[in-house]
Amino acid sequence: MNRTVERGKTLLVDGPASVTVISGKTEVFGYSLSSAKKVVIREGKRLPFVVEETTTFEISLGESAGLEEVDGSTIPSSWVEAYEELLNLQTKPSTVVVLGAVDSGKSSFCTYLINMLLQEKRKCVILDGDLGQSDVGPPCTVAYAVVTKPITDLFSLEAKNAFFVGVTSPSRARNKVIEGLSLLKKEVLNENPDFVVVNTDGWVDGEDAINYKMQLVSELNPDLVFCIQQTDETNQLLNAFQKFRKMVVDSPIAIKQRDREKRRNLRELGYIKYLKNMKMQSLPLSWLKIEGNELFVSDKTLRNTRKAEEIYEILGMKPLNIAEFENKILILIGRRRWIDAEKLTKAEEFTRKKIVIARKGDEEGLLTALYDANRKFLGIGVLQELDYARKTLKILTPVKEEISTVVIGKVKLDKNMKEIPFLEEENQSEFPMFRKLF
Ligand SMILES: Nc1ncnc2c1ncn2[C@@H]1O[C@H](COP(=O)(O)OP(=O)(O)O)[C@@H](O)[C@H]1O
Ligand SMILES: [Mg+2]
């Protein structure tokens, strides 16, 4: 379908859709599109085509896509001012951090700033700290990319390096996110950029979130902090950053909020992007260092200790693995094994710790990150089997390089890359009845 839009208007396109400029002059987040340029809009995303000279578009809309024409530009004037402020920074490199709630426009604002800076021939790096709605690396990672060409969607960039956190929510891994971002920032500085734009996750409400963001910002030590303000809620956040130069920018009114389901769907596109052409690999455990998900990591193993023997005695069985942590004991049992609830309670009384049980096979589908011997991130994979008896690990991954470390995450995927609940969460508050299943 063709559509002509007059100058001074904005065409809002909700994906899945693709838009090609046939003639005219139009901009997406500061990127001036040339004719014949095809722009793909993912499902769950909306792109504003700001028309500067009457433009004819060729548009194909997927199912549930949408199209709307509005007057004026949907880019807030405070975004233009923010860019000017940024350009005036005298430091090299200049680091800016973008804060804001979920769906406030953080990714779009970063895209806008970068496109504008590229027009001035500045070297830009995007450091993406939003692990739940990551644009650059796979979901559950923080990552960076050097941006050399203007873009309509940061998702089209290929990550140069990434740090696997292993969960989608920062509240479950605050230190890991901060550790990852500061490691990557150091590496980014070797690229000798003019600007480092840091995007962050949308967890901004409440004391915990503010403390976490304070810690994150202090660690990154930016030259300027942008806060995207939707309502008054970011005031608290702003007050927390006394020490840093900051600027409030508006959240565009044209934003379409996404629900959890839509956000999960967007993540699936991220898994698919980084798992394309995956193949089964079988790796000997003796070659690998395994980290991450404590349920399947055996460096805290209690096996062959007196205490373990006593626990086995109480349980009346010998598990495949047993590991002790500060506040819990993890036990891995066979696929069809069963532990009596009463015996479990006795074992908990004996150990004075909560006992979490996993069954062989529970590891299937866990999202996993792969690193080489120099700790370079190689990519992600989906764990298929961790076989202690045969001492092998099977994984589906597109990674071809030699793998030396495997970090097991806490997100589980089914065959269609859909997120499914993982045992450890189930063992916690949501499903208190769960244990009775064993
Ligand atoms: N100025 C704007 N005009 C129209 N749509 C916008 C604008 N800014 C952002 N959007 C759209 O709103 C949605 C949310 O923005 P996004 O940048 O993804 O937010 P966040 O990164 O904070 O979650 C996206 O689909 C995005 O394309
Ligand atoms: Mg985003």
Side-chain angles (χ1 to χ4, degrees):
M1 145 179 105
N2 276 16
R3 176 137 173 180
T4 301
V5 181
E6 279 169 39
R7 157 202 177 120
K9 298 203 175 231
T10 297
L11 183 69
L12 299 173
V13 185
D14 294 329
S18 80
V19 174
T20 309
V21 177
I22 307 229
S23 65
K25 197 162 178 257
T26 185
E27 243 183 56
V28 175
F29 299 135
Y31 171 16
S32 207
L33 301 175
S34 50
S35 54
K37 167 84 190 162
K38 184 172 174 179
V39 177
V40 175
I41 303 133
R42 290 182 280 154
E43 177 164 10
K45 285 273 177 186
R46 158 178 286 186
L47 284 192
F49 293 79
V50 181
V51 174
E52 313 221 293
E53 274 165 31
T54 302
T55 301
T56 302
F57 300 96
E58 187 188 298
I59 303 168
S60 34
L61 298 177
E63 209 180 311
S64 79
L67 208 55
E68 192 187 335
E69 219 176 281
V70 296
D71 287 330
S73 166
T74 62
I75 303 292
S77 56
S78 55
W79 285 24
V80 185
E81 289 153 24
Y83 165 64
E84 282 157 7
E85 183 90 2
L86 183 59
L87 207 53
N88 283 332
L89 290 176
Q90 299 298 327
T91 39
K92 184 186 158 135
S94 294
T95 302
V96 296
V97 170
V98 176
L99 300 175
V102 174
D103 281 350
S104 60
K106 296 180 300 299
S107 299
S108 306
F109 180 62
C110 293
T111 310
Y112 171 80
L113 291 179
I114 289 172
N115 284 337
M116 296 297 281
L117 288 166
L118 287 175
Q119 282 181 22
E120 296 295 318
K121 307 259 182 300
R122 304 304 169 99
K123 183 167 182 185
C124 299
V125 172
I126 172 83
L127 176 52
D128 183 5
D130 190 355
L131 60 160
Q133 286 297 302
S134 39
D135 294 303
V136 179
C140 308
T141 66
V142 294
Y144 78 91
V146 182
V147 194
T148 50
K149 285 189 285 224
I151 36 169
T152 53
D153 186 348
L154 296 167
F155 189 72
S156 59
L157 300 167
E158 217 27 69
K160 180 129 190 207
N161 200 3
F163 178 97
F164 186 68
V165 179
V167 293
T168 55
S169 162
S171 61
R172 292 177 62 202
R174 298 165 217 197
N175 293 338
K176 274 258 168 255
V177 179
I178 294 173
E179 181 193 343
L181 282 176
S182 51
L183 268 172
L184 292 180
K185 186 186 167 188
K186 286 196 190 94
E187 197 178 305
V188 160
L189 297 182
N190 296 332
E191 302 277 343
N192 198 26
D194 298 312
F195 288 90
V196 182
V197 178
V198 188
N199 196 6
T200 58
D201 60 77
W203 186 41
V204 290
D205 273 340
E207 206 177 315
D208 282 352
I210 290 171
N211 287 338
Y212 155 69
K213 284 283 147 56
M214 282 249 290
Q215 217 183 322
L216 190 152
V217 169
S218 306
E219 186 66 37
L220 292 171
N221 195 24
D223 303 287
L224 184 54
V225 178
F226 289 117
C227 280
I228 304 189
Q229 189 154 32
Q230 260 169 330
T231 50
D232 286 342
E233 90 259 358
T234 34
N235 276 349
Q236 244 182 319
L237 190 65
L238 270 174
N239 291 336
F241 298 107
Q242 300 294 353
K243 225 177 88 199
F244 293 94
R245 184 158 160 197
K246 59 203 170 201
M247 184 172 178
V248 179
V249 297
D250 294 310
S251 176
I253 25 178
I255 280 186
K256 202 169 160 193
Q257 300 282 325
R258 293 175 282 235
D259 53 22
R260 258 186 97 182
E261 179 69 25
K262 277 254 160 57
R263 285 202 291 273
R264 208 176 291 143
N265 288 343
L266 278 167
R267 268 205 298 281
E268 278 158 30
L269 294 179
Y271 297 125
I272 291 167
K273 173 180 168 190
Y274 282 94
L275 287 168
K276 219 171 20 198
N277 302 325
M278 60 186 188
K279 295 204 170 56
M280 186 72 87
Q281 283 211 40
S282 186
L283 308 165
L285 281 178
S286 56
W287 290 8
L288 300 172
K289 188 160 178 256
I290 298 179
E291 298 174 11
N293 195 321
E294 36 195 40
L295 274 177
F296 303 104
V297 176
S298 50
D299 63 343
K300 293 210 167 42
T301 186
L302 268 182
R303 256 186 302 196
N304 307 324
T305 62
R306 176 92 188 263
K307 190 168 182 180
E309 294 299 332
E310 287 184 62
I311 297 170
Y312 301 166
E313 185 86 11
I314 296 171
L315 296 177
M317 56 108 62
K318 193 169 177 196
L320 296 170
N321 196 20
I322 178 164
E324 181 165 22
F325 297 86
E326 210 179 314
N327 54 358
K328 63 185 164 201
I329 288 185
L330 302 176
I331 289 180
L332 181 68
I333 61 175
R335 219 176 269 268
R336 276 178 279 279
R337 294 303 290 270
W338 189 88
I339 293 182
D340 188 86
E342 225 170 276
K343 289 180 176 164
L344 199 58
T345 312
K346 278 208 183 112
E348 285 186 331
E349 280 163 12
F350 169 69
T351 58
R352 300 222 184 100
K353 283 186 185 180
K354 181 179 157 62
I355 295 183
V356 179
I357 291 171
R359 274 196 286 187
K360 169 113 193 53
D362 282 337
E363 75 275 24
E364 187 185 344
L366 284 172
L367 183 70
T368 299
L370 308 167
Y371 293 84
D372 71 7
N374 300 317
R375 195 96 195 168
K376 186 183 178 325
F377 180 83
L378 298 173
I380 53 170
V382 185
L383 188 60
Q384 298 299 295
E385 190 179 25
L386 191 52
D387 192 330
Y388 287 109
R390 293 201 185 86
K391 300 194 170 37
T392 54
L393 178 145
K394 284 195 186 134
I395 192 165
L396 278 170
T397 178
V399 167
K400 294 202 178 73
E401 295 89 339
E402 192 164 321
I403 297 160
S404 116
T405 300
V406 172
V407 185
I408 304 175
K410 290 185 176 165
V411 165
K412 209 167 173 176
L413 301 178
D414 72 8
K415 302 237 168 352
N416 301 316
M417 306 294 155
K418 296 230 176 299
E419 289 176 5
I420 45 178
F422 171 60
L423 169 91
E424 207 189 12
E425 283 163 306
E426 292 174 2
N427 255 325
Q428 286 163 5
S429 54
E430 273 177 88
F431 299 94
M433 298 300 283
F434 186 73
R435 275 206 229 147
K436 300 233 164 78
L437 293 174
F438 290 98

